[in-house]
Amino acid sequence: MSVPEDEERLLPLVQRWPRASNFVLSGCAATVAELATFPLDLTKTRLQMQGEAALARLGDSAREATPYRGMVRTALGIVQEEGFLRLWQGVTPAIYRHVVYSGGRMVTYEHLREVVFRKNEDQHYPLWKSVIGGMFAGVVGQFLANPTDLVKVQMQMEGKRKLEGKPLRFRGVHHAFAKILAEGGIRGLWAGWVPNVQRAALVNMGDLTTYDTVKHYLVLNTTLEDNIMTHSLSSFCSGLVASILGTPADVIKSRIMNQPRDKQGRGLLYKSSTDCLIQAVQGEGFMSLYKGFLPSWLRMVKLGLSFCCFCFICT
Protein backbone atom coordinates (compact mmCIF):
# COMPACT_ATOMS: atom_id res chain seq x y z
CA MET A 1 0.00 0.00 0.00
CA SER A 2 1.55 3.31 -1.12
CA VAL A 3 1.74 6.34 1.13
CA PRO A 4 0.21 9.61 -0.20
CA GLU A 5 2.82 12.14 -1.26
CA ASP A 6 1.81 14.70 1.38
CA GLU A 7 1.97 12.12 4.17
CA GLU A 8 5.28 10.78 2.86
CA ARG A 9 6.88 14.20 3.23
CA LEU A 10 5.95 14.17 6.95
CA LEU A 11 7.65 10.83 7.57
CA PRO A 12 11.07 10.78 9.28
CA LEU A 13 14.07 10.60 6.95
CA VAL A 14 14.82 7.05 8.15
CA GLN A 15 11.44 5.88 6.83
CA ARG A 16 11.52 7.94 3.64
CA TRP A 17 14.99 6.74 2.60
CA PRO A 18 15.63 3.52 4.52
CA ARG A 19 18.56 2.32 2.38
CA ALA A 20 20.42 5.63 2.54
CA SER A 21 19.69 5.92 6.27
CA ASN A 22 20.99 2.42 6.95
CA PHE A 23 24.15 3.23 4.98
CA VAL A 24 24.79 6.40 7.02
CA LEU A 25 23.98 4.79 10.37
CA SER A 26 26.14 1.78 9.60
CA GLY A 27 29.01 4.02 8.53
CA CYS A 28 28.76 6.11 11.71
CA ALA A 29 28.68 3.03 13.95
CA ALA A 30 31.65 1.58 12.08
CA THR A 31 33.62 4.83 12.43
CA VAL A 32 33.16 4.93 16.21
CA ALA A 33 34.11 1.26 16.49
CA GLU A 34 37.12 1.82 14.22
CA LEU A 35 38.52 4.57 16.43
CA ALA A 36 38.07 2.42 19.55
CA THR A 37 39.58 -0.76 18.11
CA PHE A 38 42.21 0.58 15.70
CA PRO A 39 45.18 -0.16 18.00
CA LEU A 40 44.22 -3.83 17.74
CA ASP A 41 44.22 -3.55 13.95
CA LEU A 42 47.63 -1.88 13.91
CA THR A 43 49.02 -4.54 16.26
CA LYS A 44 47.53 -7.26 14.06
CA THR A 45 49.20 -5.86 10.93
CA ARG A 46 52.59 -5.57 12.63
CA LEU A 47 52.31 -9.17 13.86
CA GLN A 48 51.45 -10.37 10.35
CA MET A 49 54.67 -8.86 9.00
CA GLN A 50 56.96 -10.35 11.64
CA GLY A 51 59.41 -12.94 10.40
CA GLU A 52 58.45 -12.47 6.73
CA ALA A 53 60.66 -15.10 5.13
CA ALA A 54 60.46 -13.61 1.63
CA LEU A 55 62.45 -10.56 2.80
CA ALA A 56 65.60 -12.71 2.80
CA ARG A 57 65.67 -12.45 -1.01
CA LEU A 58 66.20 -8.69 -0.69
CA GLY A 59 68.95 -9.15 1.88
CA ASP A 60 66.84 -7.55 4.60
CA SER A 61 68.68 -8.09 7.89
CA ALA A 62 65.94 -6.49 10.02
CA ARG A 63 63.99 -9.73 9.89
CA GLU A 64 66.79 -11.60 11.65
CA ALA A 65 67.60 -8.84 14.15
CA THR A 66 64.06 -8.31 15.43
CA PRO A 67 62.89 -10.85 18.05
CA TYR A 68 59.38 -12.23 17.77
CA ARG A 69 56.78 -10.40 19.86
CA GLY A 70 53.28 -11.38 20.91
CA MET A 71 50.25 -9.10 20.87
CA VAL A 72 50.93 -7.32 24.20
CA ARG A 73 54.67 -6.88 23.61
CA THR A 74 54.03 -5.59 20.10
CA ALA A 75 51.54 -2.99 21.33
CA LEU A 76 53.82 -1.92 24.18
CA GLY A 77 56.77 -1.78 21.79
CA ILE A 78 54.89 0.60 19.50
CA VAL A 79 54.12 2.89 22.46
CA GLN A 80 57.68 2.81 23.81
CA GLU A 81 59.53 3.09 20.49
CA GLU A 82 57.19 5.29 18.45
CA GLY A 83 54.83 7.01 20.88
CA PHE A 84 51.30 6.39 22.16
CA LEU A 85 49.53 8.21 19.32
CA ARG A 86 51.27 5.94 16.78
CA LEU A 87 48.77 3.27 17.80
CA TRP A 88 46.37 5.21 15.54
CA GLN A 89 48.74 5.59 12.59
CA GLY A 90 46.71 4.94 9.45
CA VAL A 91 43.33 5.48 11.13
CA THR A 92 42.16 8.03 8.54
CA PRO A 93 42.16 5.63 5.56
CA ALA A 94 40.75 2.99 7.93
CA ILE A 95 37.74 5.24 8.61
CA TYR A 96 37.35 5.84 4.88
CA ARG A 97 37.47 2.10 4.39
CA HIS A 98 34.84 1.31 7.00
CA VAL A 99 32.44 3.95 5.77
CA VAL A 100 32.55 2.39 2.30
CA TYR A 101 32.88 -1.25 3.36
CA SER A 102 30.48 -1.43 6.29
CA GLY A 103 27.84 0.76 4.70
CA GLY A 104 28.00 -1.07 1.38
CA ARG A 105 28.06 -4.47 3.06
CA MET A 106 25.04 -3.85 5.24
CA VAL A 107 22.93 -2.26 2.51
CA THR A 108 23.76 -5.10 0.10
CA TYR A 109 23.07 -7.76 2.72
CA GLU A 110 19.75 -6.24 3.76
CA HIS A 111 18.68 -5.83 0.13
CA LEU A 112 19.43 -9.51 -0.54
CA ARG A 113 17.53 -10.55 2.59
CA GLU A 114 14.45 -8.46 1.95
CA VAL A 115 14.16 -8.40 -1.85
CA VAL A 116 16.11 -11.28 -3.39
CA PHE A 117 15.94 -14.20 -0.93
CA ARG A 118 13.31 -13.13 1.63
CA LYS A 119 12.35 -15.04 4.77
CA ASN A 120 10.48 -18.33 4.86
CA GLU A 121 6.80 -18.51 5.76
CA ASP A 122 7.75 -19.03 9.43
CA GLN A 123 9.72 -15.71 9.29
CA HIS A 124 13.03 -17.58 9.66
CA TYR A 125 15.98 -16.69 7.45
CA PRO A 126 17.63 -19.99 6.37
CA LEU A 127 21.34 -20.58 6.86
CA TRP A 128 22.09 -21.14 3.18
CA LYS A 129 20.59 -17.76 2.32
CA SER A 130 22.70 -16.09 5.02
CA VAL A 131 25.84 -17.77 3.65
CA ILE A 132 25.28 -16.61 0.07
CA GLY A 133 24.06 -13.15 1.05
CA GLY A 134 26.86 -12.59 3.55
CA MET A 135 29.61 -13.65 1.17
CA PHE A 136 28.29 -11.60 -1.73
CA ALA A 137 27.79 -8.52 0.45
CA GLY A 138 31.33 -8.80 1.78
CA VAL A 139 32.80 -9.19 -1.70
CA VAL A 140 31.02 -6.09 -3.03
CA GLY A 141 31.91 -3.93 -0.03
CA GLN A 142 35.55 -5.01 0.11
CA PHE A 143 36.21 -4.60 -3.60
CA LEU A 144 34.96 -1.01 -3.44
CA ALA A 145 37.03 -0.30 -0.32
CA ASN A 146 40.29 -1.93 -1.52
CA PRO A 147 42.17 1.36 -2.24
CA THR A 148 41.57 2.60 1.30
CA ASP A 149 42.64 -0.76 2.74
CA LEU A 150 45.85 -0.62 0.68
CA VAL A 151 46.75 2.83 2.00
CA LYS A 152 45.85 1.80 5.56
CA VAL A 153 48.19 -1.21 5.56
CA GLN A 154 51.10 0.73 4.09
CA MET A 155 50.69 3.62 6.54
CA GLN A 156 50.52 1.18 9.46
CA MET A 157 54.02 -0.02 8.56
CA GLU A 158 55.57 3.46 8.26
CA GLY A 159 56.60 3.57 11.93
CA LYS A 160 58.49 0.29 11.59
CA ARG A 161 60.22 1.51 8.45
CA LYS A 162 61.42 4.59 10.33
CA LEU A 163 62.84 2.46 13.17
CA GLU A 164 64.68 0.31 10.60
CA GLY A 165 66.27 3.41 9.06
CA LYS A 166 64.26 3.21 5.84
CA PRO A 167 62.81 6.31 4.16
CA LEU A 168 59.14 7.01 4.75
CA ARG A 169 56.93 6.44 1.72
CA PHE A 170 54.20 9.00 2.41
CA ARG A 171 53.68 12.43 3.96
CA GLY A 172 50.02 11.73 4.70
CA VAL A 173 46.97 9.83 3.58
CA HIS A 174 46.19 11.97 0.53
CA HIS A 175 49.83 11.90 -0.57
CA ALA A 176 49.67 8.11 -0.28
CA PHE A 177 46.66 7.89 -2.59
CA ALA A 178 48.30 10.27 -5.09
CA LYS A 179 51.65 8.46 -5.05
CA ILE A 180 50.15 5.00 -5.49
CA LEU A 181 47.96 6.29 -8.32
CA ALA A 182 50.91 8.00 -10.02
CA GLU A 183 53.18 4.95 -9.79
CA GLY A 184 50.74 2.15 -10.48
CA GLY A 185 47.72 3.81 -12.07
CA ILE A 186 44.17 2.77 -11.23
CA ARG A 187 45.26 -0.88 -11.06
CA GLY A 188 47.81 0.05 -8.41
CA LEU A 189 45.01 1.07 -6.04
CA TRP A 190 43.58 -2.43 -6.29
CA ALA A 191 46.82 -4.27 -5.46
CA GLY A 192 46.02 -7.26 -3.28
CA TRP A 193 42.31 -7.17 -4.09
CA VAL A 194 42.10 -10.93 -4.74
CA PRO A 195 43.08 -12.10 -1.20
CA ASN A 196 41.26 -9.06 0.19
CA VAL A 197 38.00 -10.11 -1.47
CA GLN A 198 38.61 -13.73 -0.48
CA ARG A 199 39.07 -12.65 3.13
CA ALA A 200 35.92 -10.54 3.03
CA ALA A 201 33.88 -13.44 1.66
CA LEU A 202 35.16 -15.82 4.34
CA VAL A 203 34.82 -13.30 7.17
CA ASN A 204 31.28 -12.38 6.21
CA MET A 205 30.33 -16.01 5.73
CA GLY A 206 31.52 -16.69 9.27
CA ASP A 207 30.42 -13.39 10.79
CA LEU A 208 26.92 -12.73 9.49
CA THR A 209 25.83 -16.36 9.23
CA THR A 210 27.12 -17.37 12.66
CA TYR A 211 25.66 -14.23 14.19
CA ASP A 212 22.19 -14.92 12.77
CA THR A 213 22.33 -18.64 13.57
CA VAL A 214 23.55 -18.26 17.17
CA LYS A 215 21.08 -15.47 17.93
CA HIS A 216 18.20 -17.52 16.50
CA TYR A 217 19.30 -20.57 18.53
CA LEU A 218 19.62 -18.63 21.80
CA VAL A 219 16.21 -17.00 21.46
CA LEU A 220 14.45 -20.29 20.67
CA ASN A 221 16.31 -22.67 23.00
CA THR A 222 17.31 -20.64 26.05
CA THR A 223 15.69 -18.21 28.45
CA LEU A 224 17.51 -15.30 26.79
CA GLU A 225 15.44 -12.74 24.90
CA ASP A 226 16.40 -10.66 21.89
CA ASN A 227 18.47 -8.17 23.90
CA ILE A 228 22.02 -6.86 24.18
CA MET A 229 23.20 -10.00 26.00
CA THR A 230 22.03 -12.23 23.17
CA HIS A 231 23.65 -9.96 20.59
CA SER A 232 26.92 -9.89 22.56
CA LEU A 233 27.12 -13.69 22.78
CA SER A 234 26.35 -13.90 19.08
CA SER A 235 29.12 -11.40 18.32
CA PHE A 236 31.61 -13.37 20.45
CA CYS A 237 30.88 -16.58 18.51
CA SER A 238 30.71 -14.96 15.08
CA GLY A 239 34.01 -13.14 15.66
CA LEU A 240 35.73 -16.40 16.53
CA VAL A 241 34.47 -18.21 13.43
CA ALA A 242 35.21 -15.23 11.19
CA SER A 243 38.78 -14.97 12.51
CA ILE A 244 39.44 -18.68 12.01
CA LEU A 245 38.21 -18.50 8.42
CA GLY A 246 39.61 -15.11 7.44
CA THR A 247 43.01 -14.71 9.14
CA PRO A 248 45.07 -16.66 6.55
CA ALA A 249 43.70 -14.54 3.70
CA ASP A 250 44.24 -11.42 5.83
CA VAL A 251 47.93 -12.28 6.33
CA ILE A 252 48.40 -12.84 2.60
CA LYS A 253 46.53 -9.64 1.78
CA SER A 254 48.60 -7.51 4.17
CA ARG A 255 51.91 -8.86 2.90
CA ILE A 256 51.03 -8.36 -0.76
CA MET A 257 49.84 -4.81 -0.07
CA ASN A 258 52.95 -3.91 1.92
CA GLN A 259 55.60 -5.50 -0.33
CA PRO A 260 58.12 -3.24 -2.10
CA ARG A 261 57.47 -2.67 -5.80
CA ASP A 262 59.54 -1.85 -8.88
CA LYS A 263 59.06 1.19 -11.11
CA GLN A 264 56.35 -0.64 -13.05
CA GLY A 265 54.39 -1.29 -9.86
CA ARG A 266 55.15 -5.02 -9.81
CA GLY A 267 55.76 -6.70 -6.47
CA LEU A 268 59.36 -7.67 -5.65
CA LEU A 269 58.50 -10.40 -3.13
CA TYR A 270 55.37 -12.13 -4.40
CA LYS A 271 54.02 -12.83 -7.88
CA SER A 272 50.52 -13.60 -6.65
CA SER A 273 48.50 -14.49 -3.56
CA THR A 274 49.23 -18.18 -4.20
CA ASP A 275 52.98 -17.47 -4.34
CA CYS A 276 52.73 -15.54 -1.06
CA LEU A 277 50.84 -18.43 0.55
CA ILE A 278 53.44 -20.98 -0.56
CA GLN A 279 56.40 -18.87 0.57
CA ALA A 280 54.82 -18.20 3.97
CA VAL A 281 54.08 -21.88 4.65
CA GLN A 282 57.46 -23.12 3.34
CA GLY A 283 59.55 -20.44 5.01
CA GLU A 284 57.68 -19.92 8.29
CA GLY A 285 55.33 -22.87 8.77
CA PHE A 286 51.58 -23.27 8.48
CA MET A 287 50.83 -21.35 11.67
CA SER A 288 52.38 -18.23 10.14
CA LEU A 289 49.03 -17.87 8.37
CA TYR A 290 47.48 -17.18 11.79
CA LYS A 291 49.80 -14.40 12.88
CA GLY A 292 47.72 -11.65 14.44
CA PHE A 293 44.81 -14.02 15.16
CA LEU A 294 44.14 -12.84 18.74
CA PRO A 295 43.93 -9.06 18.07
CA SER A 296 41.89 -9.86 14.95
CA TRP A 297 39.37 -11.85 16.99
CA LEU A 298 39.14 -9.26 19.76
CA ARG A 299 38.61 -6.54 17.20
CA MET A 300 35.88 -8.45 15.38
CA VAL A 301 34.04 -8.98 18.66
CA LYS A 302 34.10 -5.24 19.36
CA LEU A 303 33.04 -4.42 15.80
CA GLY A 304 30.27 -6.98 16.22
CA LEU A 305 29.01 -5.05 19.23
CA SER A 306 28.82 -1.93 17.07
CA PHE A 307 26.72 -3.99 14.67
CA CYS A 308 24.45 -4.82 17.63
CA CYS A 309 24.00 -1.11 18.33
CA PHE A 310 23.23 -0.55 14.65
CA CYS A 311 20.55 -3.26 14.76
CA PHE A 312 18.89 -1.71 17.81
CA ILE A 313 18.96 1.77 16.27
CA CYS A 314 17.35 0.54 13.05
CA THR A 315 14.65 -1.40 14.87
Side-chain angles (χ1 to χ4, degrees), residues 109-271:
Y109 187 65
E110 289 186 355
H111 178 77
L112 290 173
R113 287 186 60 168
E114 297 172 10
V115 179
V116 179
F117 294 123
R118 299 184 180 180
K119 294 182 179 180
N120 289 342
E121 293 181 358
D122 62 354
Q123 296 301 306
H124 174 57
Y125 197 65
L127 178 61
W128 71 269
K129 291 183 179 181
S130 292
V131 171
I132 296 175
M135 291 182 68
F136 186 77
V139 166
V140 171
Q142 190 59 75
F143 181 78
L144 294 175
N146 194 83
T148 56
D149 218 355
L150 174 67
V151 172
K152 181 199 73 170
V153 169
Q154 294 196 10
M155 291 190 70
Q156 285 177 328
M157 297 304 297
E158 288 293 86
K160 185 179 179 182
R161 288 177 61 87
K162 186 175 181 180
L163 290 175
E164 294 173 352
K166 299 177 181 178
L168 298 180
R169 292 173 288 192
F170 314 117
R171 295 191 299 270
V173 59
H174 298 105
H175 177 245
F177 279 111
K179 184 176 180 182
I180 294 172
L181 184 62
E183 294 178 351
I186 293 294
R187 292 184 60 183
L189 291 172
W190 268 266
W193 75 268
V194 174
N196 208 9
V197 164
Q198 292 172 341
R199 172 193 174 274
L202 292 169
V203 166
N204 279 276
M205 181 179 68
D207 187 6
L208 293 174
T209 58
T210 304
Y211 184 91
D212 280 348
T213 303
V214 172
K215 184 181 71 172
H216 187 73
Y217 176 85
L218 291 174
V219 171
L220 291 181
N221 298 280
T222 69
T223 57
L224 293 174
E225 298 179 353
D226 189 1
N227 52 29
I228 190 64
M229 177 59 69
T230 303
H231 286 264
S232 298
L233 291 173
S234 301
S235 296
F236 184 85
C237 295
S238 63
L240 176 61
V241 174
S243 296
I244 292 173
L245 293 176
T247 297
D250 194 23
V251 171
I252 301 304
K253 175 265 297 185
S254 296
R255 292 187 173 191
I256 288 180
M257 287 183 168
N258 188 63
Q259 69 173 326
R261 299 182 178 275
D262 60 19
K263 294 182 179 179
Q264 287 72 42
R266 293 173 299 192
L268 298 177
L269 298 180
Y270 311 110
K271 299 176 181 178

